[in-house]
Amino acid sequence: MACSTHLLSQSLYPLNRANPAAARGHLRFQASPSVRLGSGTSRRRALGLRVAASAEQGRRQVEVEYDLQAKFNKLADQIDQNAGITRLNLFSPCKINVFLRITGKRPDGFHDLASLFHVISLGDTIKFSLSPSKSKDRLSTNVAGVPVDESNLIIKALNLYRKKTGTDNFFWIHLDKKVPTGAGLGGGSSNAATALWAANQFSGCIASEKELQEWSGEIGSDIPFFFSQGAAYCTGRGEIVEDIRNPLPANLPMVLVKPPEACSTAEVYKRLRLEHTSQTDPLVLLKEITENGISQDACVNDLEPPAFDVLPSLKRLKKRIIAANRGDYDAVFMSGSGSTIVGIGSPDPPAFVYDDDDYKDTFVSEACFLTRNENEWYREPISSKITSEEDLPPEVASVSD
């Protein structure tokens, strides 16, 4: 029998982790005469133990006194660190554009924008597991029609991370999809940001959040925003992200109403006429909202007119929500390039959404504003829920928005 620090640590580890208070006390065990116990001072110090022996009925009784709380907590941390992460479940929230100004067209064909992006509590859940494969990721999802090949932004993000870091981790990923697509909510962009965050966790956080944010702009304009703290003033194509000091209150409710039809972002921008956009300085809008709160006048979206041109029924939906408003909503507006209409101030949709057969396939969800702490990913609020989690609308069919 060998009595070593390693073996003793293994035997005491579960006890100490389960009940740290028990780590202050006495451990008694019986040893046969053949047990060799080190008697030197140096050995006792190496073990961190005080040993006393006495002869009793032909056997030795050994009493060990110990104070191991700090010692074994440190050992446990080392074991956890050496073991590494093998599985990770992360929340992947979407966003809304509280206001969206289009300020010009760029030589590269993209448009310059200025917008207050804010993360909200509606989101997907993504489960990551290390794969034994060193050549391919495997993606599955709960929604038929979602691409699971390299066209999916999750796979693109993992490929980007390996390219930038030289790591060789591959993954099994399951996407539990709740955010509708073609909605102007950035669900696919959030999935990509979440995948980059996850890959970095599996690799021991060898990249900084700033690096992840900068890299992510290579595969999508909206992705860098999700590496903010959850509320940011975004300019350029959307990739220039500036955190705002006063995020909108988390207890301010909202309702999201999205018809089955999606808006093509490319088609919306094609029909955009810069001369017909708002002339309000976006910094004035930002100041108004962060200092005085949300109002209908401040929630400007320059993409509403072309989106309503692409999808006239969306314009009717917004008008009906405003007409049905009995003071419940502080503002009603479209998010991004559509086709989600947001009502800020109440989690409840107007009754016609449920009563009118024209809206029987409409996606409806309550939500609230959400932020995150530095060096932590977003967490789904306990109260967050979707009106129907099982009967998702058919347009929830892609993560490429």
Side-chain angles (χ1 to χ4, degrees), residues 2-186:
C3 182
S4 69
T5 304
H6 174 69
L7 293 176
L8 187 58
S9 298
Q10 286 185 320
S11 65
L12 295 182
Y13 173 79
L15 171 66
N16 181 60
R17 297 292 274 189
N19 183 11
R24 296 181 179 272
H26 292 78
L27 171 71
R28 296 179 182 271
F29 62 90
Q30 298 291 329
S32 67
S34 62
V35 173
R36 298 175 61 106
L37 296 172
S39 58
T41 301
S42 61
R43 180 166 179 80
R44 289 197 300 270
R45 286 178 178 171
L47 288 173
L49 306 171
R50 183 159 59 86
V51 180
S54 63
E56 181 182 342
Q57 296 179 351
R59 298 175 63 82
R60 276 188 194 144
Q61 184 178 35
V62 180
E63 181 176 319
V64 181
E65 294 184 1
Y66 56 91
D67 180 4
L68 297 177
Q69 181 169 344
K71 184 179 182 67
F72 283 97
N73 280 344
K74 182 177 180 180
L75 176 63
D77 291 340
Q78 291 173 345
I79 292 172
D80 292 341
Q81 184 176 5
N82 292 337
I85 300 173
T86 59
R87 296 181 181 182
L88 193 59
N89 293 355
L90 292 174
F91 183 53
S92 180
C94 62
K95 58 81 182 171
I96 62 170
N97 300 86
V98 182
F99 71 81
L100 175 57
R101 284 290 333 281
I102 306 299
T103 57
K105 191 168 183 178
R106 303 155 54 102
D108 60 9
F110 288 95
H111 287 78
D112 281 316
L113 60 83
S115 178
L116 173 55
F117 283 56
H118 211 303
V119 168
I120 62 173
S121 58
L122 171 65
D124 305 327
T125 301
I126 311 179
K127 301 178 181 180
F128 298 88
S129 299
L130 277 177
S131 169
S133 170
K134 291 298 180 182
S135 61
K136 188 176 181 180
D137 298 302
R138 188 178 72 186
L139 174 64
S140 62
T141 181
N142 64 319
V143 178
V146 172
V148 294
D149 57 13
E150 294 193 356
S151 67
N152 188 292
L153 277 174
I154 292 175
I155 304 300
K156 288 183 178 181
L158 297 175
N159 285 335
L160 176 67
Y161 185 84
R162 286 187 286 263
K163 175 184 174 182
K164 294 293 186 180
T165 62
T167 54
D168 61 353
N169 285 333
F170 286 80
F171 302 92
W172 291 335
I173 313 107
H174 180 74
L175 171 63
D176 186 6
K177 194 76 180 147
K178 294 185 176 70
V179 178
T181 60
L185 299 175

Side-chain angles (χ1 to χ4, degrees), residues 281-396:
D281 186 335
L283 290 175
V284 172
L285 297 174
L286 180 65
K287 181 178 180 180
E288 173 65 22
I289 291 173
T290 55
E291 291 184 0
N292 300 318
I294 287 179
S295 66
Q296 188 66 54
D297 290 341
C299 294
V300 173
N301 187 342
D302 285 337
L303 295 182
E304 280 192 8
F308 293 163
D309 191 23
V310 172
L311 196 62
S313 61
L314 189 60
K315 182 177 182 179
R316 292 194 296 270
L317 174 61
K318 180 185 175 183
K319 284 186 174 181
R320 288 196 65 176
I321 293 175
I322 292 175
N325 184 17
R326 299 178 179 177
D328 295 329
Y329 307 124
D330 301 318
V332 177
F333 56 89
M334 185 183 79
S335 179
S337 58
S339 57
T340 299
I341 301 297
V342 182
I344 302 290
S346 172
D348 301 317
F352 75 83
V353 173
Y354 296 122
D355 298 339
D356 195 324
D357 287 343
D358 289 343
Y359 299 100
K360 63 181 180 180
D361 295 323
T362 296
F363 174 89
V364 178
S365 174
E366 66 179 68
C368 60
F369 291 108
L370 186 67
T371 57
R372 70 180 180 96
N373 296 323
E374 189 174 2
N375 298 319
E376 294 181 5
W377 199 240
Y378 301 96
R379 297 186 180 185
E380 182 177 16
I382 296 175
S383 61
S384 178
K385 65 180 180 179
I386 294 181
T387 302
S388 175
E389 295 187 354
E390 296 180 355
D391 300 324
L392 290 174
E395 76 273 13
V396 183

